[in-house]
Amino acid sequence: MDCLFCKIINGEIPSNKIYEDEKIIAFYDINPEAKIHFLVVPKTHICCADKIDGSNSHLIAYIFEKIPELAKKSGITNGYRIINNCGEDSCQSVKHIHFHVLGGEKLPEHIR
Ligand code: 5GP
Ligand code: ZN
């Protein structure tokens, strides 16, 4: 499958990794939009939030359980924003579900 994040997961494309286990990987975004900006990605290829169902929701729950630990590990100490883009109108560019975690500085109050 021609999926950028599957290639990062299987090591074909290098990434600046924060964390990895059998279910998920977390790595810094190549084009950071905050002082600290990383992505948390399930190793299972799920295209987007639209395809979360009873068979894979445990992975999404696991990601949210891990985010506080990963935020701390990345140096975030004062709060963070979690973003998921789903589908065309959201401008999702990589069609493998991922959660952006942004922090390390005061973020703009409003984003669309
Ligand atoms: P999306 O727009 O799909 O929500 O987010 C995709 C994110 O992946 C973007 O923030 C983009 O900067 C990041 N990205 C794209 N290609 C690469 C890459 O090769 N390596 C890393 N680390 N991040 C990438
Ligand atoms: Zn994939």
Side-chain angles (χ1 to χ4, degrees), residues 18-62:
I18 300 172
Y19 177 82
E20 180 173 18
D21 65 22
E22 71 285 2
K23 296 192 199 72
I24 64 169
I25 184 169
F27 52 87
Y28 289 102
D29 197 293
I30 206 167
N31 184 23
E33 292 188 27
K35 271 199 184 133
I36 300 173
H37 180 181
F38 64 88
L39 305 172
V40 192
V41 184
K43 288 190 169 177
T44 302
H45 182 93
I46 302 164
C47 75
C48 59
D50 233 20
K51 298 293 180 199
I52 297 171
D53 61 24
S55 75
N56 57 32
S57 58
H58 63 286
L59 295 169
I60 308 304
Y62 183 72

Side-chain angles (χ1 to χ4, degrees), residues 4-5 8 13-16 27-33 37 39 84-85 91-95 98 100:
L4 177 66
F5 287 174
I8 286 179
I13 293 174
S15 67
N16 194 355
F27 52 87
Y28 289 102
D29 197 293
I30 206 167
N31 184 23
E33 292 188 27
H37 180 181
L39 305 172
N84 170 256
N85 293 316
C91 300
Q92 180 184 2
S93 61
V94 179
K95 275 37 175 197
H98 53 280
H100 298 254

